[in-house]
Every structure is written in structure tokens, then in C-alpha cells.
Amino acid sequence: MEPTLVDGQGLLTMPSDRARAGQVRCVEHPERPGFWLVKRVADVRRDGTMTVESDNRSAPTADSRSFGPVPVAGSYRVVVRIPRRWM
């Protein structure tokens, strides 16, 4: 998610079943249970799924372009970004 977030930066999240395009959210990788991703919501669909994308499109990454839409239910909205210097 660079340049929006940097490696080692902390996040505070909250569960939310209401997503909007542009939000930064934590979602579980659909092909790797227990592995969480931080991505930006590109689109929310009426079927309860959303497409998520990385902010840095030039870096090799896993997002909806490779694994498709993910469920909104069970994802977490990032509400606070903790500066790395506080970690």
C-alpha cells in the first residue's frame, strides 16, 4: 500500500459490513486463509462483494485483479493509521 502506508506502520481497524470505494480495508486473502491484506476498495457490488486494489500498481501484488472480488462481510475498515515512529 505504499505510498499510503509504509512497512511496519500500525493500523487500528473495526469490523464493518458497509464498504465504500476509496476506503482502506483489511481483507483475508481468499486463497490463503489466515493471511490478511491491506487494500483500497475500488468498487462495491450489490451482491455483497467488493473489488480491492493496491495503491502501488507497479509493484507485484495480490489483489482483485488476480483473485477476483472478495466479500465485504468479514473485512475490517482502517480507522486509524499509527505513525511508524510510535511503533
Side-chain angles (χ1 to χ4, degrees):
M1 284 295 296
E2 288 188 11
T4 304
L5 303 171
V6 294
D7 190 31
Q9 184 174 4
L11 303 173
L12 291 177
T13 64
M14 63 181 278
S16 174
D17 290 338
R18 298 178 67 185
R20 290 183 299 146
Q23 285 181 339
V24 177
R25 296 185 72 93
C26 295
V27 298
E28 191 170 22
H29 193 297
E31 299 165 358
R32 294 178 62 189
F35 185 77
W36 289 82
L37 304 168
V38 179
K39 300 293 175 188
R40 187 172 304 279
V41 177
D43 183 46
V44 180
R45 300 172 179 206
R46 291 181 183 227
D47 65 357
T49 62
M50 60 186 166
T51 55
V52 293
E53 295 180 351
S54 174
D55 280 356
N56 187 349
R57 292 183 179 219
S58 64
T61 185
D63 60 19
S64 288
R65 291 174 286 171
S66 62
F67 52 68
V70 295
V72 173
S75 69
Y76 294 83
R77 180 179 174 207
V78 174
V79 292
V80 176
R81 300 171 194 168
I82 301 170
R84 190 171 171 186
R85 67 182 177 272
W86 294 357
M87 298 300 295

